[in-house]
Amino acid sequence: MLYCKLLYEKKIWEKDTVKEGKDSILQRKASGDLIPVIVRRTMEILEQEALLESMIRLHHIGEYFSDLAVYRPGFKLISFGRNTYLYSRPEHRKCAYFLVEGRLSVYARAENGEQMLVRCCDSFIFLGDMELLGYQEPSNMIRTDTRCLFVALDIPLLKGRLMEDNRFL
């Protein structure tokens, strides 16, 4: 119930959401009908500074930047649930991600509409270079195969600095 309320307050769901349930939210369609929408914890920002610091050290993330202390305020720890598509929502596109735990798959869409598996990743990888350059539409589809943990960089906060950092580029 609390998570449903958070979804509503963060405007992930439309304002015309009318009723909350244990496992679903009733949402009004354009036709006026109410439909249940299943709620899953797909993206969660973790407020665990010690774990964030540990992941930054463990994966040597500081080595990608000329001065980690300058960028550190824009880092956050984010968890995505299983079978979640990254960059599928506008709030996902505001970050670039270092995968530090979990497994994901990258898909491309062929001209005929079929999805093709491009790559499976279960180790440290950087995602979000296209979003950092300003592309709003994802070039590939990225799906989490397991629950994944990411160190995320806040693009709006850090973009100017990142584009001038020769070590990062």
Side-chain angles (χ1 to χ4, degrees), residues 14 24 28 35 42 49 73 80 86-87 93 95-97 105-106 113-114 125 130 137-138 144-145 150 154 156 159 162:
E14 299 296 321
S24 65
R28 191 173 303 281
I35 57 167
T42 56
E49 285 299 314
F80 281 92
L86 272 70
Y87 298 113
R93 292 184 215 126
C95 290
Y97 303 97
S105 299
V106 179
E114 288 186 29
I125 188 171
M130 299 300 284
E137 291 301 316
T144 58
D145 297 328
F150 295 91
D154 187 326
K159 185 175 181 176
L162 289 171

Side-chain angles (χ1 to χ4, degrees), residues 55 59-61 64 98-100 119 122-126:
M55 289 299 171
H59 295 283
H60 308 283
I61 292 173
Y64 290 90
F98 288 101
L99 173 66
V100 293
R119 180 178 181 183
D122 61 357
S123 60
F124 183 75
I125 188 171
F126 179 74

Side-chain angles (χ1 to χ4, degrees), residues 78-154:
I78 296 181
S79 173
F80 281 92
R82 184 175 179 264
N83 291 328
T84 302
Y85 283 90
L86 272 70
Y87 298 113
S88 61
R89 295 188 174 162
E91 63 269 16
H92 297 179
R93 292 184 215 126
K94 294 180 182 175
C95 290
Y97 303 97
F98 288 101
L99 173 66
V100 293
E101 197 174 280
R103 179 182 166 87
L104 56 84
S105 299
V106 179
Y107 296 89
R109 188 172 298 278
E111 290 180 14
N112 63 3
E114 288 186 29
Q115 287 185 1
M116 299 179 297
L117 178 64
V118 175
R119 180 178 181 183
C120 291
C121 307
D122 61 357
S123 60
F124 183 75
I125 188 171
F126 179 74
L127 303 167
D129 50 341
M130 299 300 284
E131 287 72 21
L132 185 62
L133 295 173
Y135 290 97
Q136 294 300 312
E137 291 301 316
S139 56
N140 291 314
M141 293 173 287
I142 302 168
R143 188 192 76 206
T144 58
D145 297 328
T146 63
R147 187 163 190 81
C148 291
L149 187 63
F150 295 91
V151 172
L153 294 121
D154 187 326

